[in-house]
C-alpha cells in the first residue's frame, strides 16, 4: 500500500475491539459515526463518536455540567497530525499532535492497513480498551467513489 492509496475521505462503517479470546465489543455502540481524512500534504485527521450523544442544556460551547462533559468526552475520540505509510509492513503511522485523549499527544500510533477496493480496514496491536486488552478493528468506506 502506498500513501496515494489512502488519499481522501473515509466514512466509518464499524469499530470493534476484539480480545484474544475472540470476544468483541463495540466501544461506542453498534453504529458509531466518524470520518478519517488523509491529505496530500501528509496530514491526517480522525473524528469518531457514538451516534446518539446527548446535548448540553447550556448553550455555551464550553459549558455543560461536569456529568455532561464527562459523557461527551467518553463518547468521542479525535486526533490529528502527520502520517506516513510503511509500504513493506502494510501499515500507516499516525504521528499525533492533537488528540481528545491527552496520553496520545506526541505519540505515534501504528495502524495495520488492508485495502480492498473502496474499503479500508485499520487495526491495532492489542492495547487496553475499557480495562481489557483488545485489538481495535475499524472498517472505513471511501467517500466519493463508486
Amino acid at each position: 500500500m502506498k500513501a496515494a492509496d489512502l488519499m481522501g475521505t473515509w466514512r466509518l462503517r464499524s469499530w470493534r475491539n476484539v480480545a484474544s479470546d475472540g470476544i468483541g465489543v463495540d466501544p461506542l455502540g453498534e453504529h458509531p459515526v466518524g470520518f478519517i481524512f488523509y491529505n496530500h500534504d501528509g496530514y491526517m485527521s480522525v473524528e469518531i463518536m457514538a451516534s446518539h450523544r446527548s446535548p448540553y442544556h447550556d448553550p455555551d460551547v464550553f459549558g455543560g455540567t461536569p456529568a455532561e462533559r464527562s459523557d461527551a468526552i467518553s463518547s468521542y475520540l479525535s486526533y490529528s497530525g502527520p502520517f506516513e505509510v510503511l509500504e513493506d509492513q502494510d501499515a500507516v503511522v499516525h504521528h499525533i499532535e492533537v488528540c481528545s485523549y491527552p496520553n496520545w499527544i506526541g505519540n505515534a500510533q501504528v495502524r495495520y492497513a488492508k485495502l480492498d477496493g473502496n474499503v479500508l480496514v485499520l487495526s491495532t496491536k492489542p492495547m487496553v480498551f475499557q480495562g481489557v486488552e483488545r485489538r481495535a478493528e475499524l472498517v472505513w468506506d471511501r467517500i466519493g467513489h463508486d
Side-chain angles (χ1 to χ4, degrees):
M1 176 179 314
K2 298 183 183 314
D5 297 328
L6 296 176
M7 293 304 132
T9 303
W10 303 80
R11 182 187 310 271
L12 184 65
R13 181 191 298 179
S14 64
W15 175 3
R16 190 107 172 117
N17 291 346
V18 182
S20 61
D21 61 7
I23 296 175
V25 298
D26 301 310
L28 294 178
E30 290 185 23
H31 304 288
V33 178
F35 296 92
I36 192 166
F37 309 90
Y38 290 100
N39 296 318
H40 291 283
D41 61 6
Y43 276 75
M44 60 75 57
S45 183
V46 64
E47 308 282 333
I48 304 172
M49 67 179 200
S51 59
H52 299 290
R53 299 170 75 222
S54 298
Y56 294 176
H57 289 94
D58 185 344
D60 182 343
V61 71
F62 292 106
T65 65
E68 288 172 329
R69 290 193 307 271
S70 177
D71 287 346
I73 195 62
S74 67
S75 62
Y76 197 93
L77 177 65
S78 67
Y79 62 82
S80 185
F83 76 94
E84 65 179 308
V85 173
L86 306 178
E87 293 180 23
D88 60 333
Q89 298 176 41
D90 288 327
V92 58
V93 182
H94 299 156
H95 297 278
I96 299 174
E97 292 184 357
V98 296
C99 187
S100 61
Y101 176 55
N103 297 26
W104 282 1
I105 297 169
N107 289 328
Q109 290 288 315
V110 176
R111 301 294 181 258
Y112 300 102
K114 293 180 187 174
L115 185 60
D116 183 8
N118 290 317
V119 177
L120 174 65
V121 178
L122 297 176
S123 59
T124 67
K125 294 179 185 178
M127 61 177 74
V128 176
F129 291 102
Q130 299 166 316
V132 177
E133 189 173 82
R134 296 184 169 109
R135 179 185 55 79
E137 184 174 287
L138 295 92
V139 180
W140 304 91
D141 294 311
R142 188 186 300 271
I143 292 179
H145 290 78
D146 295 330

